[in-house]
Amino acid sequence: MNIEEYLRRDYVATLLKEGRRIDNRKLDEFREIKIEKGYSSEKAPGSAFIYLGNTKVLVGISMDVGEPYPDRPESGVMTTNVELRPIASPLFESGPPREKAIEIARVVDRGIRESGAIDLEKLYIEEDRVWIAFIDIHVLDDGGNILDAAGIAAIAALLDTRIPRYEDGVVVRGEWTGKLPVTCTPVPVTHAKIGDKLVVDPNLEEEYARETQLTVTTTDTINAMQKSGIGAFSSEDVDSAIDTSFKKAQEIREIVEG
Amino acid sequence: MNIEEYLRRDYVATLLKEGRRIDNRKLDEFREIKIEKGYSSEKAPGSAFIYLGNTKVLVGISMDVGEPYPDRPESGVMTTNVELRPIASPLFESGPPREKAIEIARVVDRGIRESGAIDLEKLYIEEDRVWIAFIDIHVLDDGGNILDAAGIAAIAALLDTRIPRYEDGVVVRGEWTGKLPVTCTPVPVTHAKIGDKLVVDPNLEEEYARETQLTVTTTDTINAMQKSGIGAFSSEDVDSAIDTSFKKAQEIREIVEG
Amino acid sequence: MNIEEYLRRDYVATLLKEGRRIDNRKLDEFREIKIEKGYSSEKAPGSAFIYLGNTKVLVGISMDVGEPYPDRPESGVMTTNVELRPIASPLFESGPPREKAIEIARVVDRGIRESGAIDLEKLYIEEDRVWIAFIDIHVLDDGGNILDAAGIAAIAALLDTRIPRYEDGVVVRGEWTGKLPVTCTPVPVTHAKIGDKLVVDPNLEEEYARETQLTVTTTDTINAMQKSGIGAFSSEDVDSAIDTSFKKAQEIREIVEG
Amino acid sequence: MAEKEMKLIVDGKRLDGRKFDELREIKMEVNVLERTMGSAYVEWGNNKVLAGVHGPREFHPKFLRDPRKAILTCTYNMAAFSVDDRKRPGPDRRSVEISKVISDALSSVAVLEKYPNTGIDVFVEVLQADAGTRCVSIVAASLALANSGVPMKDLVSACASGKIDGEIVLDLMKEEDNYGECDLPVAISPRRGDILLLQMDGNLTREEYTKAYNLAVEGAKKVYGMQKKTLLDSMVNLEEGE
Amino acid sequence: MAEKEMKLIVDGKRLDGRKFDELREIKMEVNVLERTMGSAYVEWGNNKVLAGVHGPREFHPKFLRDPRKAILTCTYNMAAFSVDDRKRPGPDRRSVEISKVISDALSSVAVLEKYPNTGIDVFVEVLQADAGTRCVSIVAASLALANSGVPMKDLVSACASGKIDGEIVLDLMKEEDNYGECDLPVAISPRRGDILLLQMDGNLTREEYTKAYNLAVEGAKKVYGMQKKTLLDSMVNLEEGE
Amino acid sequence: MAEKEMKLIVDGKRLDGRKFDELREIKMEVNVLERTMGSAYVEWGNNKVLAGVHGPREFHPKFLRDPRKAILTCTYNMAAFSVDDRKRPGPDRRSVEISKVISDALSSVAVLEKYPNTGIDVFVEVLQADAGTRCVSIVAASLALANSGVPMKDLVSACASGKIDGEIVLDLMKEEDNYGECDLPVAISPRRGDILLLQMDGNLTREEYTKAYNLAVEGAKKVYGMQKKTLLDSMVNLEEGE
């Protein structure tokens, strides 16, 4: 860490002691969210481009037909992959996904899977043939809080997704038979702990200054939680983060579904 | 680049300004070509060992039975792989094929594929079963211009290739039912640009001295072109290279087919 | 190699000139062997944990159903894998198995395979379906002579192995139809050459001091031999090692089968 | 979770006869390996987990060293035969994630500033797996680290709770994990009460979360008692951080 | 090429109504990303391509540094969902080759001597693909590089021509690429007229080549006009190399 | 071994007409490549093997260098088309093991102390394979190493024996290797009589081993004669180690 980084980190923390954030947001305020559904609609069955402040993420959904898992023969399959593309940050490297990308993918996946957001039973086609929904999260500009951007764009993309025609064992590209059955809108909300304060939706500078963070994904219940990073939370921290998460998720849900 | 390399590079360029090559060839003259077809005939259905000056390349063809591509269910399959074996040069490394090997493989592949040299339709066997021709290019001694050596040996090996017997779903090794149907003889010709001169078939020292190069693969038409390396060609350069390519390819074709 | 290592190595060699080993064993004496069969019996069909002196290895056998090899359609399949887990030594690294792990796996595999210890013909189920026995050797603490520990634990684990129930194309976990058919007990015995002496079952310090080593795996015949490491044996060395191997293998066999 | 139907509570009892707030049987031991600086072995129900520590030692590659502290890296690995269906050797995405969250938790209590520029490698080997391996692993890793002599501000203790058949229960076993509705693993710094690891998946109301969290912490505290006893019995002085 | 039968020219018009020498619709923008030194976004027909530049920065590994100049490396990557059939993430042989030819073309005009011992990394992300992505990518990469402030002797402009139903046409779209007889992508240094990238596969007579080449160059020159306008509009001073 | 039934000895003769103690036909040549320091080519029955040496040269990575001697590494590789069923390019477990045992054998005779801190890389390319490739490879590698000028205490010579239809025979060919009962490859330092490589798989009694071993050594000695002649013919002075 060089001097400049250290000073900015210090500045973020000092401001927060006074209850102020470096970009003047309230502690529980998200940056502006813009979502463009259907961004890659000429090819992808579903897609959404999100701007979460400076953070830019494109999620595309591919629909393919394949075999179900042996222990769930009548259920469709979903799979989530995150690519922290090197274009998104001078700190990202080429190569197979690492720790950070895998953690983000798994937390986003759990929110969608555990809430039952995709009605996988409706993705059954015939014996040994089900729809597979690939959720590919393509991170293009890292302005902080990639996790929430990814999770919000993922559910937005799923809401945008059409199911292709499937005839004589072949997926007919570019023709659609209906929408992907989506039952609810799980939204992850990430809380960074800086000093003894919690802030939602940390930007890049807040990420440098934070110790640890907690992500809570909710629908009308809690569906996924993940503490990440070195450091500790008190149980009061977590209680407060959960309450805030329900509230912020509802606001964001309106944007996603709108 | 050490001093000796630099001096030799300079020497190559200086000689060429006077229209002379370091090994006294004419600008459009290939090094001596010797081809031994059937080099690995005890095992491989087809093979050819080429000496292009000091450059030595062995190409082997394996024939296997597999599934066609879904969008071409009645066509056989061809695939081309280049191994720049570390024995061939102190500069080559072990490991999976890199940029250079991949580029050579793809340019050789395009020449053969686009000219229709292998009559893939005749490699259809029965529903979901076609012949797959593996073209494996094994580079053993790098004396310069691996690409042309590889491309020439590849088509020579294809001309040498026999189709194994296929009975009851099994390929019978060592018994043959006929020759691989080869319809024409695409030949790549590579032109190195050194200063403002073009030379064909650059040897190793000319490769060090060159800026960029152009490969033109022809039958009675042009089937593949590839500019490679940093630097520029004028459109006149390219026109002249094409004309030379047709002429040299015809000479080489006689050696390959002979 | 640091000074301390060098001195200990020297000490091992000097002692041996007088016919003494650093831990006071006789030249043809193994360290104490303790074997716990069924160590992972809640999950693995077969397992055995071996203590060979300080060396600790756990072998687990997994049984799965799959396709036979095309050239042996009525035979089951066996496969052997060694993981030199980094926990076992500060010198082991994470990542795919390397040279040393592969060599150990292949020598253990040959002893079992060539002696016919697993009656593979009895692992045939029905057309295109046979049992596959996975022998997974998990090395947990490297106190020297991993190879013999691995080979002894592998055959002990096989002797412990039950065959799961197989019904309607599915392996029923946790229910068993019988024991794996094991016909004999191959035992590897490794001889380290230090100076002009041979010792069996080298401990870690003897391994540092040794030049080369020879492993001989026997049942009532010799089934596998492997010289490993830089250095040479005389033919008399080998003759003597074979004789010792038969003798020691018989002693160890009683422990394994007991 | 919650895919197939399976009755997990019959007549107010769990399948293995445990009460809702009852732990499975747990055994612990430290100093079980020769070639590590510290090691531990934990049996917890049918789970068998071995942990060992190499280091502090030179960290590679050099340019990633931290001049202010040691870098602690945990590697969680399951033996191929540790589960019913053989697991292919090598890290998968699940084990990469578990390795990370354990690394984070241990790094939160180890006094890494004492060993600048070095690496401390904690290896966890799951020899038999039966639900809850991440809690078992963190408990074993924490014991191995203490056994290695690296100073720690506190131990790390852990336990999971979950929801089955609508009830909040402690320490899920395999069937409960497969067919239950929620899993909530929690690791704490027991003396301070801080949360070092918290994950959750499934589905809990706000109220259920509080109940489940409290239950998990109670479980972790019982485990802490066993950890302390194990270390004391082994005559290792656990350096209490400042 | 030329596998299935498909009529590509009907009544003298192409499937999408274009004339033989007509480009698809093109939109360009620069400076679209925060974390890069320079960036550009290009829409070209249904293609959507983003390019960004990191560097000049330290080059690793050290022993491969060039003391005379920067090493420029382009990495071309297609998003999994950018094509009809999902593409597995990670480089395949096609993208390795395209990365190389774009690297070669950009290195031919960038004044790399200004930054010895460094690396300049150009990343191209294909977000939606619809034939001709290598030309779109090179155009976007060239804009991003200019936007980053690395001095260039010239921009790089590019366009493909091809043969469909026996006719030489400009800028193939998807069906024309799949069922046509030839594809000829060309990248030029527009002010000098030099050829920086030239690939071809299919089948062209000597005369057809000349016609196709000239058509591609005309296309590239039109694209050059748009590139200049985009950069000027963005108030970025394109440093003209000496 | 010994899986299918196949009669390998008919009327006291082997399938290819050889006697029990007869070698297949062998041809050798050295100095066959331009870009290596030393090289050799060996045909042995239907086997065709090329070997070449790069180095002594800088060894990477630096921290693995040995300040007392060169590190000799042999890499054994089979061409995809060298066997009946195409082999996927790249190392498999078998070739890793063969590479190791050849490296060990060559390192036992090369005077590596002469080149501290360096690496000597020996590459073996199997262009056509027909049983016994490890012996052919070691013979070719040893010739290439001698041809490169690296001083050696002795050459390495090699031959295999085996058991077919209950008889001990020399130098197995393909069918004998597939359907025989045992394979015993041996490499020796011929002047000293030392064993440098010894592997065996199959099944041999104590007495059969001695017979097979002696036969293999006799074979290796004949091969040694050809190696010496080849090197002398090529006017290369084989430096006799002290």
Side-chain angles (χ1 to χ4, degrees), chain C residues 144-180:
Chain C
N145 198 17
I146 289 172
L147 202 162
D148 290 355
I152 295 165
I155 188 67
L158 289 169
L159 284 164
D160 177 61
T161 300
R162 305 151 292 181
I163 297 186
R165 184 173 303 284
Y166 179 70
E167 265 176 19
D168 305 331
V170 176
V171 178
V172 183
R173 302 297 175 189
E175 297 182 27
W176 318 104
T177 57
K179 299 284 285 178
L180 184 75

Side-chain angles (χ1 to χ4, degrees), chain E residues 24 34 57 105 114 123 127 241:
Chain E
R24 289 175 286 181
E34 298 290 324
R57 60 180 177 182
K114 197 174 165 190
F123 295 97
L127 305 180

Side-chain angles (χ1 to χ4, degrees), chain D residues 8-21:
Chain D
L8 296 169
I9 299 183
V10 181
D11 299 336
K13 285 254 180 178
R14 295 159 74 177
L15 292 185
D16 55 3
R18 278 188 292 155
K19 289 178 285 183
F20 292 177
D21 62 350

Side-chain angles (χ1 to χ4, degrees), chain C residues 71-72 75 80-81 99 102-103 105-106 110 114 221-235 238-239 242-243, chain F residues 1 3-4 68 93-94 96-97 100-101 104 107-108 184 193-206 209-210 213:
Chain C
D71 56 339
R72 292 172 193 184
S75 266
T80 307
N81 185 53
E99 214 171 70
I102 289 173
E103 187 181 32
R106 287 178 62 84
R110 284 204 283 266
E114 300 297 336
T221 57
I222 311 171
N223 296 115
M225 297 175 73
Q226 180 90 345
K227 172 186 175 288
S228 181
I230 300 173
F233 283 103
S234 68
S235 65
V238 175
D239 285 340
I242 293 175
D243 293 336
Chain F
M1 300 223 142
E3 279 291 320
K4 283 195 204 164
R68 295 165 306 157
R93 293 160 66 97
R94 177 178 170 275
V96 169
E97 189 196 357
K100 180 180 183 299
V101 293
D104 284 350
S107 299
S108 306
L184 179 80
D194 284 348
I195 299 170
L196 301 177
L197 176 148
L198 178 67
Q199 295 186 286
M200 180 272 201
D201 63 311
N203 128 31
L204 284 182
T205 65
R206 185 70 188 77
Y209 164 76
T210 302
Y213 171 77

